[in-house]
Amino acid sequence: MRQLEVALIGAGLIARLHLDAWIRAGASVRVHSDDGRAADLAREFDAGVADSLAAALDGADAVDICTPTGSHHAIAMAAIAAGVAVVCEKPLSADTAEAEEIVTAAERAGVPLYPAHDLRFSAPFARLHEVVAAGRLGAGALARFTVTGYHPRPWTGHVPARAGGILTDQMLHGVDIARWVFGDVVRVHAHYQGDIATPAPAGAVGVGTVVLTHAGGALSRIVSRWTAKQLPPMRVTFSVSGTGGTVEHDSTWPQEVRATGDLAESFQYHGESPFVAEMREFAEAFRGGPPPRLGAGDALAAVRLTQAAAESAWTGRAVELPAEEVA
């Protein structure tokens, strides 16, 4: 079987995690970045280097976009025009119209487009999806998801005005998981507090909260926080309850998941790195295997939902969404 050729665009932390995962998936990777760091990252992983985007795309089977959000549209459109499959770090765009243009272009060109929503590949979240899909949670589903991480400082290339802030960036992790687990969303009510442009010396510098009403009746609350100082650098949790019991997970626990009621024996195992699982699944799809657990429609739905959250926070009113708008 021919080795998969991947053009990795970017050389920051996410690019490093993706590069390691692609190599573990058996791909050959060439790295390009406009910030001068590509050579050092490539050398560390014995990968190739491309001195331009065009050179990176030339002969590639897939491009993996790990650059700041504002650059995603231009890179994705260039890759689609070249007939190169696209993997894009979340969010696909901070702008719904741009995200729609990317998805439409990929569909017309017949180019696969997969968003890198890594939490779907984390073992506890994947297991939660399985249990809910099997009906084991029971009725009356009420969920709380939290995502906490370092504030993206200006020197990382994260520009708040283009990235959309915490409501359209980091909150996407929880919004995507909630939609994956409980289905279409028909109502969004969000709140934001903090100053994303001027982080304080320590402590929380941005908190976004959204309540999603799902078409099936479930309620999900997602809380996202940016902090100026935190150990570990990223923390994710969930607490999900129904008539069948309660399931809880905190990434800082030594064990993966705790559960009560009928679900107590459902979560007794650990999983591999979500990045490795993610890139292996994408690689298998690119080689003609089954499609991965998410695709272009999921990327677009997540952008639409986070944009609705931003609108709700700005106006102070809930946003009603027909289910077909986020399908």
Side-chain angles (χ1 to χ4, degrees):
M1 181 180 297
R2 185 177 67 84
Q3 191 172 33
L4 190 71
E5 296 284 341
V6 176
L8 180 71
I9 313 301
L13 174 60
I14 290 297
R16 175 182 297 275
L17 294 170
H18 283 210
L19 176 54
D20 176 66
W22 281 119
I23 290 174
R24 292 174 185 270
S28 173
V29 184
R30 65 194 75 162
V31 184
H32 170 68
S33 177
D34 289 334
D35 61 10
R37 295 187 292 170
D40 289 340
L41 179 61
R43 186 180 306 111
E44 182 178 344
F45 288 89
D46 196 26
V49 179
D51 59 8
S52 69
L53 177 60
L57 295 175
D58 185 23
D61 297 301
V63 63
D64 184 356
I65 304 171
C66 296
T67 54
T69 303
S71 65
H72 290 181
H73 177 267
I75 299 171
M77 294 300 286
I80 292 167
V84 177
V86 177
V87 171
C88 187
E89 178 58 29
K90 64 85 192 163
L92 185 59
S93 173
D95 179 81
T96 301
E98 283 192 353
E100 290 173 344
E101 185 178 2
I102 295 170
V103 171
T104 298
E107 289 175 347
R108 288 176 176 171
V111 170
L113 170 61
Y114 303 141
H117 296 177
D118 60 271
L119 276 192
R120 287 206 189 193
F121 298 86
S122 174
F125 289 92
R127 182 61 176 149
L128 173 65
H129 176 265
E130 292 173 0
V131 167
V132 173
R136 296 191 59 194
L137 188 68
L142 183 65
R144 184 177 189 268
F145 301 94
T146 72
V147 183
T148 305
Y150 281 135
H151 185 282
R153 306 302 180 95
W155 57 81
T156 67
H158 183 105
V159 182
R162 287 291 286 143
I166 196 169
L167 292 171
T168 55
D169 192 331
Q170 188 190 44
M171 185 175 280
L172 184 145
H173 283 297
V175 165
D176 178 64
I177 287 293
R179 176 179 170 271
W180 185 42
V181 172
F182 295 111
D184 287 349
V185 176
V186 296
R187 191 172 191 266
V188 177
H189 198 176
H191 176 72
Y192 172 76
Q193 65 183 60
D195 184 354
I196 61 174
T198 314
V205 297
V207 180
T209 303
V210 65
V211 176
L212 306 179
T213 302
H214 298 267
L219 289 176
S220 297
R221 183 183 183 215
I222 296 108
V223 179
S224 294
R225 299 183 183 91
W226 272 335
T227 64
K229 183 178 181 180
Q230 177 191 325
L231 289 175
M234 181 65 73
R235 180 186 180 189
V236 294
T237 75
F238 65 70
S239 178
V240 180
S241 297
T243 55
T246 297
V247 182
E248 295 179 319
H249 165 64
D250 187 324
S251 60
T252 64
W253 292 346
Q255 66 271 34
E256 288 286 343
V257 181
R258 296 171 180 169
T260 66
D262 295 339
L263 300 169
E265 300 302 320
S266 298
F267 289 84
Q268 307 303 315
Y269 66 91
H270 296 260
E272 65 179 342
S273 160
F275 296 101
V276 173
E278 181 178 44
M279 299 313 158
R280 184 178 62 247
E281 196 164 302
F282 291 161
E284 290 173 355
F286 290 140
R287 293 181 179 118
R293 66 193 70 180
L294 78 171
D298 300 296
L300 184 53
V303 173
R304 286 174 173 166
L305 286 172
T306 53
Q307 286 290 312
E311 178 185 345
S312 174
W314 294 333
T315 63
R317 298 188 298 270
V319 175
E320 307 291 336
L321 292 174
E324 62 267 19
E325 287 196 9
V326 294

